[in-house]
Amino acid sequence: EPPDIPKDFSCQTQDMKRVTCTWREEETYLYGKNSPRYTLSKTSSQKMALCKASCSKQCSCSWDIGQQWIWNVTVTVENPLGKKTATDVFDVNHRMYPTAPFQVWEDCTDTEMTLRWNYENNEIELFCQTEVVQPDGKVELHNSSVADSRRVMVRGLQPYTEYTARVRCGAARHFWRWSEWSQPLTTRTKEGTPSGKLDIWREITPVFGGRNVTLFWKQTPSFQANGKIISYEVTWEKIEDGSQPESISFSSVYNSTRIFIDNHSYRISVMAKNNVNFSLPSILIISRATDNSRKTLFCSFLGTEELKEGQVNGTDDGIFISWEPRSIYNSYIIDWCNFPRLQPCDLQWKRLGPNTSSAVISSAAFVPGVRYKFSIYGSVANRASLLEKKIGYLKELPPRLDPVVRKLDLTYNSVTLSWDSYLTNESEPGFVRGYHVYVSPMQGNCNLKGSKKHILSDESELCKYTIENPEEKRYTVKHLMPNTKYKIVVKAFTGGGETPIVNFRYIDTPYNSNMLYFIFLLVIVPTLVAAICHWKMKWVKEWCCPVIPSPNKSKVLSFKEFKIDSEKVLKINDCLPDMLAMDSNAEAHKL
């Protein structure tokens, strides 16, 4: 291809003695003796080259300017297919491109930094700019207030904080472009007095004669150490009688301590100390021990809880906790243990504003199947009062064990199951919500009245009964078939479900006694009666069906006279009756 017009052609000086022109090399796809040739010359005399160009992606060419300040130069590029030119007219005084500053150093206080530097062209008046990079990556630019100044003061810095700075300069009178940046300088401001207060909390344990108070403290985002914390100062004093305060100092590696106080009110403060000074004190007021606190001590010895614990639920972000807000408090505190099964349990706490009635507590230490306890306090004038207690899981898991069935009461059509009280202590992986009773005959499918079908992984079918009261420990399965073998199991379930069904108990329902009695009446009794009758047939026959005498066979009627047709007639005078009754006059007359 023929050459194109040279791109980005410009000329500049770094020392007011020598000018360098640069431009971008273009691809012509011709090489060797046919590759493009560049010539830089005065526009008025293009036959005389000012310098020899060298190219490597970008081309450059330099020459001494002597006493000439105004220049009109042309760069020519040509190959066998064509020729193109580009022209630049400039005043050397307007094309100053300084070299980068060097020997940058600093002088710091806790909030200010003074940067100083040198540069080569001392006879040229320069204007410089400083870049300061904050620890969070934010960049601030600071310009020199006076031309040709070799220093700049940066104010408003944080104590004991690392900053990175660098400097660049440009011509003060006829600005052309900034120089390259100097080598970056990393420095740290000096220490200052800690700002803000520590966040402190306490755990109070009633003991005989007083209370053990475990104090905890931590640095919050609003607290600035402004240096290296070397110790913490803990002070406590009795409020009522104004007695001499006691204090103790701890190394910076500690974040808790335990002190003993009696039953009076106490004022406790904690301060952080660096090499410069102490922070402002963080204050807690421990109120006088009351009868209620002594009752709490008594309850703790008995193993009872004075305040009922409410249940809370886990979410994708943590454990959601809500409470009834009270207008008298200016803040709320929630405390809990990240590792409740360990002692000490690594107490944590979170402070919330006055217009708050819920919070999501999250921690990388929370794991499914572990019960966490939360206490909600209301605070006013540095005094905290326990308001509510909550227990909950990040995620509930199925119970570890099945209820132990201790008793089976069988009838021909029902079975009554009784099981032990299920342990619901804090070691359980979830809240027991109730029980499931599963029943199935060994042969065939289950279709008991009042049950729901439950299909196992092996496609077998069970009848399922749900008991939603976790306090229930007895259940009767009805509508069973007599003389049938069944398998049965009781499972506890939580919000995380239940464990797989593995172990069954097997029962055999007895015969129906009513049916046997009916069969006895219907078959056995009639058979027994028939046998007796057959054995005593003659007696039964005489007793049940006596022989009726026939008048025709009577000896009384053995005479041959007085026959009427085929019947013999007895003459009354042949008999000696005990009594004579005349039934019919007409009949008597006939006789």
Side-chain angles (χ1 to χ4, degrees):
E1 294 180 356
D4 200 356
I5 298 174
K7 300 293 193 301
D8 302 330
F9 177 54
S10 66
C11 302
Q12 58 197 14
T13 181
Q14 288 189 318
D15 55 7
M16 301 297 291
K17 296 177 183 179
R18 190 172 179 81
V19 171
T20 300
C21 294
T22 58
W23 62 92
R24 193 169 71 238
E25 183 181 24
E26 298 293 334
E27 180 63 64
T28 62
Y29 303 102
L30 294 176
Y31 307 102
K33 65 179 182 179
N34 295 323
S35 59
R37 298 183 300 276
Y38 296 95
T39 304
L40 185 70
S41 60
K42 291 183 179 181
T43 304
S44 58
S45 179
Q46 295 186 11
K47 293 182 179 181
M48 183 179 294
L50 291 173
C51 57
K52 183 178 179 181
S54 61
C55 296
S56 177
K57 293 185 179 180
Q58 187 181 47
C59 299
S60 65
C61 190
S62 301
W63 75 95
D64 293 330
I65 60 175
Q67 298 299 318
Q68 184 176 342
W69 303 109
I70 306 298
W71 289 83
N72 185 349
V73 296
T74 298
V75 60
T76 302
V77 56
E78 60 180 324
N79 66 13
L81 299 179
K83 180 172 67 173
K84 292 291 175 64
T85 62
T87 301
D88 188 17
V89 180
F90 60 92
D91 184 338
V92 175
N93 292 303
H94 296 181
R95 294 291 179 91
M96 182 62 193
Y97 174 56
T99 57
F102 64 97
Q103 293 181 348
V104 180
W105 73 99
E106 46 74 29
D107 184 18
C108 290
T109 67
D110 58 339
T111 60
E112 296 179 352
M113 176 171 58
T114 301
L115 285 172
R116 293 181 172 86
W117 59 88
N118 284 323
Y119 43 78
E120 292 180 353
N121 301 318
N122 295 326
E123 68 277 6
I124 302 173
E125 191 176 85
L126 299 177
F127 173 78
C128 296
Q129 185 181 69
T130 302
E131 178 191 76
V132 178
V133 181
Q134 305 278 351
D136 60 359
K138 183 180 178 182
V139 176
E140 292 183 355
L141 296 176
H142 301 267
N143 295 328
S144 301
S145 57
V146 179
D148 212 22
S149 174
R150 303 187 184 196
R151 54 174 282 177
V152 66
M153 180 175 287
V154 181
R155 295 183 172 88
L157 303 179
Q158 293 294 325
Y160 202 65
T161 303
E162 194 173 86
Y163 295 90
T164 300
R166 57 182 184 172
V167 184
R168 64 182 179 180
C169 298
R173 292 187 179 181
H174 306 288
F175 182 82
W176 166 242
R177 62 174 59 172
W178 291 110
S179 70
E180 296 294 328
W181 288 106
S182 67
Q183 290 296 319
L185 172 69
T186 300
T187 186
R188 183 185 292 274
T189 53
K190 293 183 178 179
E191 294 188 47
T193 300
S195 60
K197 299 179 181 180
L198 294 170
D199 186 4
I200 64 175
W201 188 233
R202 85 292 183 276
E203 186 179 39
I204 302 174
T205 305
V207 295
F208 288 111
R211 294 159 289 177
N212 284 332
V213 179
T214 304
L215 296 169
F216 304 88
W217 56 84
K218 63 183 177 181
Q219 298 182 13
T220 62
S222 61
F223 176 84
Q224 298 295 326
N226 294 337
K228 185 178 181 180
I229 298 298
I230 58 176
S231 65
Y232 296 100
E233 191 86 7
V234 178
T235 304
W236 65 99
E237 59 181 326
K238 196 179 296 185
I239 295 177
E240 285 89 348
D241 58 6
S243 60
Q244 189 69 19
E246 299 179 67
S247 65
I248 188 171
S249 182
F250 297 92
S251 167
S252 61
V253 299
Y254 293 96
N255 63 356
S256 67
T257 187
R258 176 182 291 179
I259 61 174
F260 173 79
I261 60 174
D262 57 29
N263 291 320
H264 293 86
S265 297
Y266 276 81
R267 179 182 183 271
I268 302 175
S269 66
V270 182
M271 296 182 294
K273 184 181 185 300
N274 63 13
N275 290 310
V276 176
N277 206 342
F278 286 97
S279 68
L280 294 174
S282 300
I283 299 172
L284 277 177
I285 303 296
I286 307 297
S287 300
R288 172 189 290 271
T290 61
D291 292 337
N292 287 336
S293 61
R294 295 188 180 94
K295 181 180 178 182
T296 301
L297 173 61
F298 179 71
C299 290
S300 65
F301 281 120
L302 293 180
T304 59
E305 292 290 339
E306 187 178 11
L307 194 63
K308 187 176 180 181
E309 296 174 330
Q311 293 184 4
V312 293
N313 299 317
T315 66
D316 293 337
D317 301 321
I319 299 176
F320 178 78
I321 298 174
S322 62
W323 61 90
E324 185 69 28
R326 281 82 161 175
S327 60
I328 62 172
Y329 298 113
N330 54 28
S331 66
Y332 296 96
I333 302 99
I334 302 175
D335 71 14
W336 70 94
C337 289
N338 271 342
F339 305 99
R341 297 175 183 173
L342 299 180
Q343 291 298 330
C345 73
D346 184 30
L347 185 72
Q348 305 291 316
W349 70 96
K350 183 176 183 179
R351 291 186 180 271
L352 301 161
N355 299 320
T356 310
S357 61
S358 65
V360 175
I361 304 300
S362 59
S363 171
F366 287 169
V367 294
V370 175
R371 181 182 296 183
Y372 298 95
K373 294 184 178 182
F374 301 89
S375 299
I376 299 113
Y377 297 82
S379 177
V380 60
N382 298 320
R383 295 177 187 265
S385 302
L386 179 61
L387 304 180
E388 298 180 27
K389 289 185 176 181
K390 307 286 185 180
I391 54 175
Y393 298 83
L394 179 67
K395 181 182 179 182
E396 294 185 54
L397 298 179
R400 292 188 178 92
L401 301 174
D402 294 335
V404 179
V405 178
R406 294 295 185 185
K407 188 176 180 182
L408 287 171
D409 293 329
L410 275 170
T411 68
Y412 70 92
N413 67 345
S414 69
V415 58
T416 300
L417 307 168
S418 300
W419 54 88
D420 291 343
S421 298
Y422 196 84
L423 296 177
T424 56
N425 55 28
E426 58 189 39
S427 65
E428 281 302 309
F431 297 119
V432 175
R433 314 283 179 170
Y435 303 93
H436 288 142
V437 178
Y438 296 96
V439 183
S440 177
M442 295 300 295
Q443 301 293 331
N445 294 327
C446 185
N447 54 1
L448 296 179
K449 183 179 179 181
S451 66
K452 294 183 179 179
K453 288 186 179 181
H454 181 80
I455 308 299
L456 296 179
S457 57
D458 61 357
E459 303 300 327
S460 60
E461 185 178 297
L462 302 177
C463 285
K464 176 182 176 181
Y465 299 89
T466 300
I467 306 168
E468 296 183 349
N469 179 12
E471 302 298 325
E472 188 67 49
K473 301 172 186 65
R474 182 183 175 91
Y475 190 76
T476 300
V477 179
K478 301 179 181 179
H479 310 294
L480 301 180
M481 295 296 294
N483 192 28
T484 305
K485 189 168 186 177
Y486 288 90
K487 56 183 180 180
I488 192 165
V489 67
V490 180
K491 305 286 290 185
F493 66 90
T494 67
E498 63 187 20
T499 55
I501 302 172
V502 178
N503 297 320
F504 287 93
R505 292 191 65 167
Y506 298 92
I507 60 173
D508 292 294
T509 54
Y511 286 98
N512 188 345
S513 59
N514 294 332
M515 183 63 70
L516 292 175
Y517 182 68
F518 177 75
I519 293 173
F520 179 77
L521 292 179
L522 189 64
V523 177
I524 303 301
V525 173
T527 303
L528 183 61
V529 171
I532 293 173
C533 290
H534 180 73
W535 181 42
K536 295 290 187 178
M537 180 65 71
K538 184 176 181 181
W539 176 81
V540 171
K541 184 176 181 180
E542 291 176 355
W543 185 74
C544 295
C545 303
V547 177
I548 301 174
S550 176
N552 294 324
K553 295 180 180 181
S554 176
K555 292 181 179 181
V556 179
L557 302 178
S558 61
F559 45 82
K560 297 180 181 179
E561 296 86 2
F562 303 106
K563 286 187 177 181
I564 300 177
D565 297 327
S566 63
E567 294 184 352
K568 294 180 179 181
V569 178
L570 176 65
K571 292 189 294 183
I572 294 177
N573 55 5
D574 291 338
C575 299
L576 298 175
D578 296 329
M579 182 180 292
L580 184 64
M582 196 67 70
D583 289 332
S584 173
N585 292 329
E587 187 68 18
H589 180 73
K590 179 180 178 181
L591 292 173

